[in-house]
Amino acid sequence: ISWHCEHYEGRGLMKKMTGAELAKACGVSQGELQKEFDVYNKASQNPGTDKWDKKFFEAVPVMTDDTFHVAEITPVIHYCMGGVSGNKDAEVTTPENQAIKGLYVAGEALGGVHGVNRLGGSSLLDCVVFGRVAGRSASRFLLDKLITTGGAGADGASAAGVNVKINPTDKSVTVSWGASTGGAAGASAAPSADDDEAEVDPNAAFYAQGVT
């Protein structure tokens, strides 16, 4: 507890005060503050009997001659569990569980990832994992659209075609459309969702070495 208090005090979110300083900050006398503390202390002897129905009390009795770590508490949205429905490819789905092509969702806007509650720290699953999935799905969708429709030129007219050039040496892929580019290999279809298994694992060489 002490470490947390020092941490938030260092950030200016909490202040260390005497009882007199706390009373002044509240705009009341120290005696009036003690009267409120006395009501609290009495309620602690019979939990659930005060007007707030408080059940648990710690560090009682509270007295104005003590030292206090004070912070203003306000409601704040820490995390949103709700969101629109999506599938494993981060596509938004209809109430009938049909994917809406070209519409993707990730982060806290995506619902149903964690069930009724999430484990602390696992919200990264929403933004990092499904963010990557959404980006990959959107890229696949756009590439497929370019290949099947020929893309669109600057004037909105259909372009001549799409060319995909793959360089195994530096593992690069160049996509162009419009005028044909020399040496470019034509492509007739974009990778499907089932091609995920064909992705190159950047750690494959490391794993192949085994444990020495």
Side-chain angles (χ1 to χ4, degrees):
I1 295 297
S2 296
W3 182 91
H4 285 87
C5 289
E6 292 177 1
H7 173 74
Y8 289 118
E9 286 167 4
R11 290 176 172 266
L13 300 175
M14 183 176 282
K15 293 182 180 179
K16 187 176 182 179
M17 296 181 175
T18 64
E21 291 171 333
L22 176 59
K24 183 178 180 180
C26 294
V28 299
S29 68
Q30 190 169 343
E32 289 174 313
L33 181 60
Q34 185 58 58
K35 288 181 180 179
E36 288 297 319
F37 285 165
D38 289 341
V39 173
Y40 183 85
N41 295 333
K42 183 179 180 181
S44 70
Q45 298 173 6
N46 193 9
T49 60
D50 70 331
K51 61 181 180 180
W52 308 113
D53 195 31
K54 185 175 174 65
K55 299 292 195 306
F56 303 98
F57 295 81
E58 299 287 343
V60 288
V62 183
M63 308 297 291
T64 55
D65 59 0
D66 203 345
T67 300
F68 302 88
H69 298 275
V70 182
E72 292 187 11
I73 305 298
T74 59
V76 63
I77 298 177
H78 173 66
Y79 184 82
C80 293
M81 287 297 303
V84 300
S85 175
N87 59 21
K88 65 180 181 64
D89 295 317
E91 296 175 304
V92 175
T93 57
T94 67
E96 293 74 32
N97 204 33
Q98 298 297 314
I100 302 175
K101 297 299 181 183
L103 184 60
Y104 304 92
V105 60
E108 293 179 34
L110 173 61
V113 177
H114 306 288
V116 296
N117 203 351
R118 68 177 179 88
L119 297 175
S122 64
S123 61
L124 289 175
L125 176 65
D126 294 343
C127 59
V128 177
V129 176
F130 274 96
R132 181 177 185 275
V133 171
R136 183 176 59 187
S137 296
S139 298
R140 179 184 292 119
F141 172 80
L142 291 174
L143 180 59
D144 181 62
K145 188 174 181 180
L146 283 171
I147 291 174
T148 56
T149 65
D155 59 355
S158 177
V162 177
N163 298 285
V164 179
K165 182 179 180 180
I166 301 175
N167 189 335
T169 303
D170 59 8
K171 299 180 180 179
S172 65
V173 178
T174 303
V175 180
S176 61
W177 55 90
S180 176
T181 57
S188 60
S192 67
D194 295 331
D195 291 336
D196 291 347
E197 291 75 15
E199 291 184 355
V200 177
D201 184 354
N203 299 312
F206 172 78
Y207 295 140
Q209 295 176 2
V211 179
T212 59

